[in-house]
Amino acid sequence: MSDPKAVLAELLRDALAAAFGAEHAGTDPLIRPSQFADFQANVALPLGKALGRPPREVATAIAGQLDAGDVCAKVEVSGPGFLNLTLRDEWLAAQAAALAADPRCGAQQADVRDVIPIDYSAPNVAKEMHVGHLRTTVVGDALARTLEFRGHRVIRQNHLGDWGTPFGMLIEHLLDVGEHSEQAELLQSDPNAFYQAAREKFDNDEGFADRARRRVVALQAGDADTLRLWQELVDLSKVYFNRIYRMLDVTLTDDDLAGESIYNEWLAEVCDELEAKGLATVSQGALCVFLDGYTGREGNPVPLIVRKSDGGYGYATTDLAAVRYRVRDLGATRIVYVIGAPQSLHLSMVYETARLAGWLPPEVAAIHVAIGNVLGEDGKLLRTRSGAPVRLMALLEEAVERALTVVRETRPELDAPTHQAIAHAVGVGAVKYADLSTAHDTGYVFDFDRMLALSGNTGPYLQYAAARARSIFRKAGIKPEDATAPVRLDAPAERALALQLLGFGAAVAEVDTLLEPHRLCTYLFDLASAFTTFYEQCPVLKADDPVVRESRLTLCAASLRTLVTGLDLLGVTVPDQM
Ligand code: ARG
């Protein structure tokens, strides 16, 4: 175990038990960063209160029992009863060297391995992925990668919107324009254009609207020819989604598709079961679940409608069938929903209904990772100047284009393919990182200049720190893996870097429990800052003493690996050079 906080916590719990009895072996020592030492433990304050003793006295008693000689150079009681803890340089140095040799950068696997279906991305067939889908895709993918790294079994579930009444008009439009026409191909590049054209005919052409409605009936009845055309629409849209996914460097593949349509066969059963269990009742012709505590503005109960009065099933029914499937068939022990914040009412009604029906047992957590909005400079939902929804591909292409302009200027000596590769990593990485570094449930203003800046908490700043470390090894002519010399911590910047490096495992574990990727971003930004200070203050290859040079190379290797590993968990690629 290399995380100093965890090591200190264990020692402090032992000391607490020795000083105040075994029942304190589980007490949280409340370790925080300190201004005057590496850490401080605040436990004596609440404990003093509980025991009715002065906190300073309690702190002194803990310090008296603390067996931290190997780890701490100094333990001091300060202020009202804080325990200030300063780590030994030798201990820190040894931990940092061990970390440099560890492919996992000191990050542990989870003690309890969960089976975690993650519902994320979930765009809609024949529709543009909007910036909301950008966020659910990017945040979901970062969580999937991080949870996998922690040893959980992650099952990606791309809950594609691939069913419903609009498919009647979409199929008829596809027949009108011709399956292999240029207009049909729009589905692969500009799906909204296809959708709008269908919609317009539906609204203005009675004959077409009639055909569309009959087509819905045929689709629901499972008519073979209709199903084939529906599949054609889905397949064309898949081409579009996959282009976006490749551009975004996310891990989603066709194997992760679990669209709404796969639940069709269970919808009637879900409704029957809810009715049989007395959970659903017919109200104004619709089958509804009424849950306690869900009321509208006038105090009227808000129903979860599971079967509409025309007999059709909706979004809620599909989500209920999906919960049942994820627990019963996938064996979920934790289900993660990366979905827009406005859907939180819908989701909590689905969870509660599923709990009452016994499909979601109490030991299985269902968690909504609520996604906030992406805003334009006017503070409203991001739109193009003409007010149309932003095309995601255009947005990503612009980010890459802007990065390309910069890299061509700053690195004229590199060839075109290298320029392209760097621009892709930096442009796309900047957009993803900006998204991930904001708390997932708050909105942010989409601002290319801020995202692409080389300073501040941005993707390019972190990538640049890693690229600098890589260039040191290129110049030294050795591989980072071979930098395994012992570490010495003489300069303050070396010590600060080592301490920061040792926090990686805790940052990753926190993302596992809290499902908040921005915490890993904050950690990596602090690491990149510590590395940058070290880089500026501590010459590596020009160090006079070969022992210092080797030690600094080890620190560089550990920094590089931790930055690259951490950014990879976020889905951000580090270019070889910048
Ligand atoms: N397709 C939906 C949309 O675009 C999101 C679906 C989210 N997942 C779910 N299980 N409801 O808004």
CSV table of all heavy atoms in Angstrom, one decimal, residues 116-123 137 140-141 144 148 153-162 238 242 245-246 250-260 262-263 325-326 330:
chain,number,residue,atom,x,y,z
A,116,ILE,N,-21.4,-4.3,-13.3
A,116,ILE,CA,-22.0,-3.0,-13.5
A,116,ILE,C,-22.4,-2.7,-14.9
A,116,ILE,O,-21.6,-2.3,-15.8
A,116,ILE,CB,-21.0,-1.9,-13.1
A,116,ILE,CG1,-20.3,-2.2,-11.7
A,116,ILE,CG2,-21.7,-0.5,-13.0
A,116,ILE,CD1,-19.3,-1.2,-11.2
A,117,PRO,N,-23.7,-2.9,-15.2
A,117,PRO,CA,-24.2,-2.4,-16.5
A,117,PRO,C,-24.2,-0.9,-16.5
A,117,PRO,O,-24.6,-0.3,-15.5
A,117,PRO,CB,-25.6,-2.9,-16.6
A,117,PRO,CG,-25.7,-4.0,-15.6
A,117,PRO,CD,-24.8,-3.6,-14.5
A,118,ILE,N,-23.6,-0.2,-17.5
A,118,ILE,CA,-23.6,1.2,-17.5
A,118,ILE,C,-24.4,1.6,-18.8
A,118,ILE,O,-24.1,1.3,-19.9
A,118,ILE,CB,-22.2,1.9,-17.7
A,118,ILE,CG1,-21.3,1.3,-16.6
A,118,ILE,CG2,-22.3,3.4,-17.6
A,118,ILE,CD1,-20.0,2.1,-16.5
A,119,ASP,N,-25.5,2.4,-18.5
A,119,ASP,CA,-26.4,2.8,-19.6
A,119,ASP,C,-25.8,4.2,-20.0
A,119,ASP,O,-25.9,5.2,-19.2
A,119,ASP,CB,-27.8,2.9,-18.9
A,119,ASP,CG,-28.9,3.3,-19.9
A,119,ASP,OD1,-28.6,4.2,-20.7
A,119,ASP,OD2,-30.0,2.8,-19.8
A,120,TYR,N,-25.2,4.3,-21.1
A,120,TYR,CA,-24.7,5.6,-21.5
A,120,TYR,C,-24.7,5.8,-23.0
A,120,TYR,O,-25.0,4.9,-23.8
A,120,TYR,CB,-23.3,5.9,-20.9
A,120,TYR,CG,-22.1,5.1,-21.5
A,120,TYR,CD1,-21.3,5.8,-22.4
A,120,TYR,CD2,-21.9,3.8,-21.2
A,120,TYR,CE1,-20.1,5.1,-22.9
A,120,TYR,CE2,-20.8,3.1,-21.7
A,120,TYR,CZ,-19.9,3.8,-22.5
A,120,TYR,OH,-18.8,3.2,-23.0
A,121,SER,N,-24.5,7.1,-23.4
A,121,SER,CA,-24.6,7.5,-24.8
A,121,SER,C,-26.0,7.6,-25.3
A,121,SER,O,-26.6,8.7,-25.3
A,121,SER,CB,-23.7,6.7,-25.7
A,121,SER,OG,-23.6,7.4,-27.0
A,122,ALA,N,-26.6,6.4,-25.7
A,122,ALA,CA,-28.0,6.3,-26.0
A,122,ALA,C,-28.6,7.4,-26.9
A,122,ALA,O,-29.5,8.1,-26.6
A,122,ALA,CB,-28.9,6.3,-24.7
A,123,PRO,N,-28.0,7.5,-28.1
A,123,PRO,CA,-28.5,8.5,-29.1
A,123,PRO,C,-29.8,7.9,-29.7
A,123,PRO,O,-30.1,6.7,-29.4
A,123,PRO,CB,-27.4,8.6,-30.1
A,123,PRO,CG,-26.7,7.3,-30.1
A,123,PRO,CD,-26.8,6.9,-28.6
A,137,THR,N,-22.0,10.4,-23.4
A,137,THR,CA,-21.0,9.4,-24.0
A,137,THR,C,-19.7,9.5,-23.4
A,137,THR,O,-19.1,8.5,-23.0
A,137,THR,CB,-20.9,9.7,-25.5
A,137,THR,OG1,-22.2,9.7,-26.1
A,137,THR,CG2,-20.0,8.7,-26.2
A,140,GLY,N,-19.9,8.6,-19.5
A,140,GLY,CA,-20.1,7.2,-19.4
A,140,GLY,C,-18.9,6.4,-19.7
A,140,GLY,O,-18.5,5.4,-19.0
A,141,ASP,N,-18.2,6.8,-20.8
A,141,ASP,CA,-17.0,6.0,-21.2
A,141,ASP,C,-15.9,6.1,-20.2
A,141,ASP,O,-15.2,5.2,-19.9
A,141,ASP,CB,-16.5,6.6,-22.6
A,141,ASP,CG,-15.8,5.5,-23.3
A,141,ASP,OD1,-16.4,4.4,-23.5
A,141,ASP,OD2,-14.6,5.7,-23.7
A,144,ALA,N,-16.8,3.8,-17.4
A,144,ALA,CA,-16.7,2.4,-17.8
A,144,ALA,C,-15.2,2.0,-17.7
A,144,ALA,O,-14.8,1.0,-17.2
A,144,ALA,CB,-17.2,2.2,-19.2
A,148,GLU,N,-13.7,-0.5,-14.8
A,148,GLU,CA,-13.0,-1.7,-15.3
A,148,GLU,C,-11.6,-1.8,-14.7
A,148,GLU,O,-11.1,-2.9,-14.3
A,148,GLU,CB,-12.9,-1.7,-16.8
A,148,GLU,CG,-13.6,-2.8,-17.5
A,148,GLU,CD,-13.9,-2.5,-19.0
A,148,GLU,OE1,-13.3,-1.6,-19.6
A,148,GLU,OE2,-14.9,-3.1,-19.5
A,153,ARG,N,-16.7,-5.8,-13.3
A,153,ARG,CA,-17.1,-6.3,-14.6
A,153,ARG,C,-18.1,-5.3,-15.1
A,153,ARG,O,-19.3,-5.2,-14.6
A,153,ARG,CB,-17.8,-7.7,-14.5
A,153,ARG,CG,-17.8,-8.3,-15.9
A,153,ARG,CD,-17.9,-9.8,-15.8
A,153,ARG,NE,-19.3,-10.3,-15.8
A,153,ARG,CZ,-20.1,-10.3,-16.9
A,153,ARG,NH1,-19.6,-9.8,-18.1
A,153,ARG,NH2,-21.3,-10.7,-16.9
A,154,VAL,N,-17.7,-4.5,-16.1
A,154,VAL,CA,-18.5,-3.5,-16.7
A,154,VAL,C,-19.2,-4.0,-17.9
A,154,VAL,O,-18.6,-4.7,-18.8
A,154,VAL,CB,-17.7,-2.3,-17.1
A,154,VAL,CG1,-18.4,-1.3,-17.9
A,154,VAL,CG2,-17.1,-1.6,-15.8
A,155,ILE,N,-20.5,-3.8,-18.0
A,155,ILE,CA,-21.3,-4.2,-19.2
A,155,ILE,C,-21.9,-2.9,-19.8
A,155,ILE,O,-22.8,-2.3,-19.3
A,155,ILE,CB,-22.4,-5.2,-18.9
A,155,ILE,CG1,-21.8,-6.4,-18.1
A,155,ILE,CG2,-23.0,-5.7,-20.2
A,155,ILE,CD1,-22.9,-7.4,-17.6
A,156,ARG,N,-21.3,-2.5,-20.9
A,156,ARG,CA,-21.7,-1.3,-21.6
A,156,ARG,C,-23.1,-1.5,-22.2
A,156,ARG,O,-23.2,-2.5,-23.0
A,156,ARG,CB,-20.7,-0.8,-22.6
A,156,ARG,CG,-19.4,-0.3,-22.0
A,156,ARG,CD,-18.3,-0.3,-23.0
A,156,ARG,NE,-17.0,0.2,-22.5
A,156,ARG,CZ,-16.2,-0.4,-21.8
A,156,ARG,NH1,-16.4,-1.7,-21.4
A,156,ARG,NH2,-15.1,0.1,-21.3
A,157,GLN,N,-24.0,-0.6,-21.9
A,157,GLN,CA,-25.4,-0.8,-22.5
A,157,GLN,C,-25.7,0.5,-23.2
A,157,GLN,O,-26.1,1.5,-22.6
A,157,GLN,CB,-26.4,-1.0,-21.4
A,157,GLN,CG,-26.2,-2.3,-20.6
A,157,GLN,CD,-26.7,-3.5,-21.4
A,157,GLN,OE1,-27.9,-3.8,-21.5
A,157,GLN,NE2,-25.7,-4.2,-22.0
A,158,ASN,N,-25.6,0.5,-24.5
A,158,ASN,CA,-26.0,1.7,-25.3
A,158,ASN,C,-27.5,1.6,-25.6
A,158,ASN,O,-27.9,0.9,-26.6
A,158,ASN,CB,-25.1,1.8,-26.6
A,158,ASN,CG,-25.3,3.1,-27.3
A,158,ASN,OD1,-26.1,3.9,-26.9
A,158,ASN,ND2,-24.4,3.3,-28.3
A,159,HIS,N,-28.3,2.3,-24.8
A,159,HIS,CA,-29.7,2.2,-24.8
A,159,HIS,C,-30.3,3.0,-26.0
A,159,HIS,O,-30.9,4.1,-25.8
A,159,HIS,CB,-30.3,2.7,-23.5
A,159,HIS,CG,-31.7,2.4,-23.2
A,159,HIS,ND1,-32.1,1.2,-22.6
A,159,HIS,CD2,-32.8,3.1,-23.3
A,159,HIS,CE1,-33.4,1.2,-22.4
A,159,HIS,NE2,-33.9,2.3,-22.9
A,160,LEU,N,-29.9,2.6,-27.2
A,160,LEU,CA,-30.3,3.3,-28.4
A,160,LEU,C,-31.8,3.6,-28.5
A,160,LEU,O,-32.6,2.7,-28.3
A,160,LEU,CB,-29.8,2.4,-29.6
A,160,LEU,CG,-29.4,3.0,-30.9
A,160,LEU,CD1,-28.2,3.9,-30.7
A,160,LEU,CD2,-29.0,1.9,-31.9
A,161,GLY,N,-32.2,4.8,-28.9
A,161,GLY,CA,-33.6,5.0,-29.2
A,161,GLY,C,-33.9,4.5,-30.6
A,161,GLY,O,-33.8,5.2,-31.5
A,162,ASP,N,-34.3,3.3,-30.6
A,162,ASP,CA,-34.5,2.6,-31.9
A,162,ASP,C,-35.9,2.1,-32.1
A,162,ASP,O,-36.1,1.2,-32.9
A,162,ASP,CB,-33.5,1.5,-32.1
A,162,ASP,CG,-33.6,0.4,-31.2
A,162,ASP,OD1,-34.5,0.5,-30.3
A,162,ASP,OD2,-32.9,-0.6,-31.3
A,238,LYS,N,-26.3,3.5,-37.4
A,238,LYS,CA,-25.1,3.0,-36.7
A,238,LYS,C,-23.8,3.5,-37.3
A,238,LYS,O,-22.8,3.7,-36.7
A,238,LYS,CB,-25.1,1.4,-36.7
A,238,LYS,CG,-26.0,0.9,-35.6
A,238,LYS,CD,-25.9,-0.6,-35.3
A,238,LYS,CE,-25.6,-1.6,-36.4
A,238,LYS,NZ,-26.1,-2.9,-36.1
A,242,ASN,N,-21.1,5.3,-35.1
A,242,ASN,CA,-19.7,4.8,-35.0
A,242,ASN,C,-18.7,5.7,-35.5
A,242,ASN,O,-17.6,5.8,-35.0
A,242,ASN,CB,-19.6,3.4,-35.8
A,242,ASN,CG,-20.2,2.3,-35.0
A,242,ASN,OD1,-20.3,2.3,-33.8
A,242,ASN,ND2,-20.8,1.3,-35.7
A,245,TYR,N,-18.2,7.9,-32.6
A,245,TYR,CA,-17.5,7.2,-31.5
A,245,TYR,C,-16.0,7.0,-31.8
A,245,TYR,O,-15.2,7.2,-30.9
A,245,TYR,CB,-18.1,5.8,-31.3
A,245,TYR,CG,-19.5,5.8,-30.7
A,245,TYR,CD1,-20.4,4.8,-30.9
A,245,TYR,CD2,-20.0,6.9,-30.0
A,245,TYR,CE1,-21.7,4.8,-30.4
A,245,TYR,CE2,-21.3,7.0,-29.5
A,245,TYR,CZ,-22.1,5.9,-29.7
A,245,TYR,OH,-23.4,6.0,-29.2
A,246,ARG,N,-15.7,6.8,-33.1
A,246,ARG,CA,-14.3,6.6,-33.5
A,246,ARG,C,-13.6,8.0,-33.3
A,246,ARG,O,-12.5,8.1,-32.8
A,246,ARG,CB,-14.1,6.1,-34.9
A,246,ARG,CG,-14.6,4.7,-35.2
A,246,ARG,CD,-13.8,3.6,-34.4
A,246,ARG,NE,-14.3,3.5,-33.0
A,246,ARG,CZ,-15.4,2.9,-32.6
A,246,ARG,NH1,-16.1,2.3,-33.5
A,246,ARG,NH2,-15.7,2.8,-31.3
A,250,VAL,N,-14.0,6.8,-28.1
A,250,VAL,CA,-14.6,6.1,-27.0
A,250,VAL,C,-14.7,4.6,-27.2
A,250,VAL,O,-14.5,4.1,-28.4
A,250,VAL,CB,-16.1,6.6,-26.7
A,250,VAL,CG1,-16.0,8.0,-26.2
A,250,VAL,CG2,-16.9,6.5,-27.9
A,251,THR,N,-14.9,3.8,-26.2
A,251,THR,CA,-14.8,2.3,-26.3
A,251,THR,C,-16.0,1.6,-26.8
A,251,THR,O,-16.0,0.4,-27.0
A,251,THR,CB,-14.4,1.7,-24.9
A,251,THR,OG1,-15.4,2.1,-24.0
A,251,THR,CG2,-13.0,2.2,-24.4
A,252,LEU,N,-17.1,2.4,-27.1
A,252,LEU,CA,-18.3,1.7,-27.5
A,252,LEU,C,-18.2,1.1,-28.9
A,252,LEU,O,-17.6,1.6,-29.8
A,252,LEU,CB,-19.4,2.8,-27.6
A,252,LEU,CG,-20.0,3.3,-26.3
A,252,LEU,CD1,-20.9,4.5,-26.5
A,252,LEU,CD2,-20.8,2.1,-25.6
A,253,THR,N,-18.7,-0.1,-29.0
A,253,THR,CA,-18.8,-0.8,-30.3
A,253,THR,C,-20.2,-1.4,-30.5
A,253,THR,O,-21.0,-1.2,-29.6
A,253,THR,CB,-17.8,-2.1,-30.3
A,253,THR,OG1,-18.4,-3.1,-29.4
A,253,THR,CG2,-16.4,-1.7,-29.9
A,254,ASP,N,-20.4,-2.0,-31.6
A,254,ASP,CA,-21.7,-2.6,-31.9
A,254,ASP,C,-22.1,-3.6,-30.9
A,254,ASP,O,-23.3,-3.9,-30.6
A,254,ASP,CB,-21.8,-3.2,-33.3
A,254,ASP,CG,-21.9,-2.1,-34.4
A,254,ASP,OD1,-22.0,-0.9,-34.0
A,254,ASP,OD2,-21.8,-2.4,-35.6
A,255,ASP,N,-21.2,-4.3,-30.3
A,255,ASP,CA,-21.5,-5.3,-29.2
A,255,ASP,C,-22.2,-4.7,-28.0
A,255,ASP,O,-22.8,-5.4,-27.2
A,255,ASP,CB,-20.2,-6.0,-28.7
A,255,ASP,CG,-19.5,-6.8,-29.8
A,255,ASP,OD1,-20.2,-7.1,-30.8
A,255,ASP,OD2,-18.3,-7.1,-29.7
A,256,ASP,N,-22.0,-3.4,-27.8
A,256,ASP,CA,-22.6,-2.7,-26.7
A,256,ASP,C,-24.0,-2.2,-26.9
A,256,ASP,O,-24.6,-1.6,-26.0
A,256,ASP,CB,-21.7,-1.6,-26.2
A,256,ASP,CG,-20.2,-2.0,-26.0
A,256,ASP,OD1,-20.0,-3.1,-25.4
A,256,ASP,OD2,-19.3,-1.3,-26.5
A,257,LEU,N,-24.5,-2.4,-28.2
A,257,LEU,CA,-25.8,-1.9,-28.5
A,257,LEU,C,-26.9,-2.7,-27.8
A,257,LEU,O,-26.9,-3.9,-27.9
A,257,LEU,CB,-26.0,-1.9,-30.0
A,257,LEU,CG,-25.3,-0.9,-30.8
A,257,LEU,CD1,-25.5,-1.2,-32.3
A,257,LEU,CD2,-25.7,0.5,-30.5
A,258,ALA,N,-27.7,-2.0,-27.0
A,258,ALA,CA,-28.8,-2.7,-26.3
A,258,ALA,C,-29.9,-1.7,-26.4
A,258,ALA,O,-30.3,-1.0,-25.5
A,258,ALA,CB,-28.4,-3.0,-24.9
A,259,GLY,N,-30.4,-1.5,-27.7
A,259,GLY,CA,-31.4,-0.5,-28.0
A,259,GLY,C,-32.8,-0.8,-27.3
A,259,GLY,O,-33.0,-2.0,-26.9
A,260,GLU,N,-33.6,0.2,-27.3
A,260,GLU,CA,-35.0,0.0,-26.7
A,260,GLU,C,-35.7,-1.2,-27.3
A,260,GLU,O,-36.4,-1.9,-26.7
A,260,GLU,CB,-35.8,1.3,-27.0
A,260,GLU,CG,-35.2,2.5,-26.2
A,260,GLU,CD,-36.0,3.8,-26.5
A,260,GLU,OE1,-37.0,3.7,-27.1
A,260,GLU,OE2,-35.5,4.8,-26.0
A,262,ILE,N,-34.9,-4.1,-28.1
A,262,ILE,CA,-34.6,-5.5,-27.6
A,262,ILE,C,-35.5,-5.9,-26.5
A,262,ILE,O,-35.7,-7.0,-26.1
A,262,ILE,CB,-33.1,-5.7,-27.2
A,262,ILE,CG1,-32.8,-4.9,-25.9
A,262,ILE,CG2,-32.2,-5.5,-28.3
A,262,ILE,CD1,-31.4,-5.4,-25.3
A,263,TYR,N,-36.2,-4.9,-25.9
A,263,TYR,CA,-37.1,-5.1,-24.8
A,263,TYR,C,-38.5,-5.4,-25.2
A,263,TYR,O,-39.4,-5.7,-24.4
A,263,TYR,CB,-37.0,-4.0,-23.7
A,263,TYR,CG,-35.6,-3.8,-23.2
A,263,TYR,CD1,-34.8,-2.7,-23.7
A,263,TYR,CD2,-35.0,-4.7,-22.4
A,263,TYR,CE1,-33.5,-2.6,-23.3
A,263,TYR,CE2,-33.7,-4.5,-21.9
A,263,TYR,CZ,-32.9,-3.5,-22.4
A,263,TYR,OH,-31.6,-3.3,-22.0
A,325,TYR,N,-34.0,-6.9,-16.8
A,325,TYR,CA,-33.1,-7.6,-17.6
A,325,TYR,C,-31.7,-7.5,-17.0
A,325,TYR,O,-30.9,-8.5,-16.9
A,325,TYR,CB,-33.1,-7.1,-19.1
A,325,TYR,CG,-31.9,-7.5,-19.9
A,325,TYR,CD1,-31.8,-8.8,-20.4
A,325,TYR,CD2,-30.9,-6.6,-20.3
A,325,TYR,CE1,-30.8,-9.2,-21.3
A,325,TYR,CE2,-29.9,-6.9,-21.1
A,325,TYR,CZ,-29.8,-8.2,-21.6
A,325,TYR,OH,-28.7,-8.6,-22.4
A,326,ARG,N,-31.3,-6.3,-16.6
A,326,ARG,CA,-30.0,-6.0,-16.1
A,326,ARG,C,-29.7,-6.8,-14.8
A,326,ARG,O,-28.6,-7.2,-14.6
A,326,ARG,CB,-29.8,-4.5,-15.9
A,326,ARG,CG,-29.6,-3.9,-17.3
A,326,ARG,CD,-29.8,-2.3,-17.2
A,326,ARG,NE,-29.8,-1.9,-18.6
A,326,ARG,CZ,-30.0,-0.6,-19.0
A,326,ARG,NH1,-30.2,0.3,-18.0
A,326,ARG,NH2,-30.0,-0.3,-20.2
A,330,LEU,N,-28.3,-10.1,-16.6
A,330,LEU,CA,-26.9,-9.7,-16.6
A,330,LEU,C,-26.2,-9.9,-15.3
A,330,LEU,O,-25.0,-9.8,-15.1
A,330,LEU,CB,-26.8,-8.2,-17.1
A,330,LEU,CG,-27.2,-7.9,-18.5
A,330,LEU,CD1,-27.0,-6.4,-18.8
A,330,LEU,CD2,-26.5,-8.7,-19.5
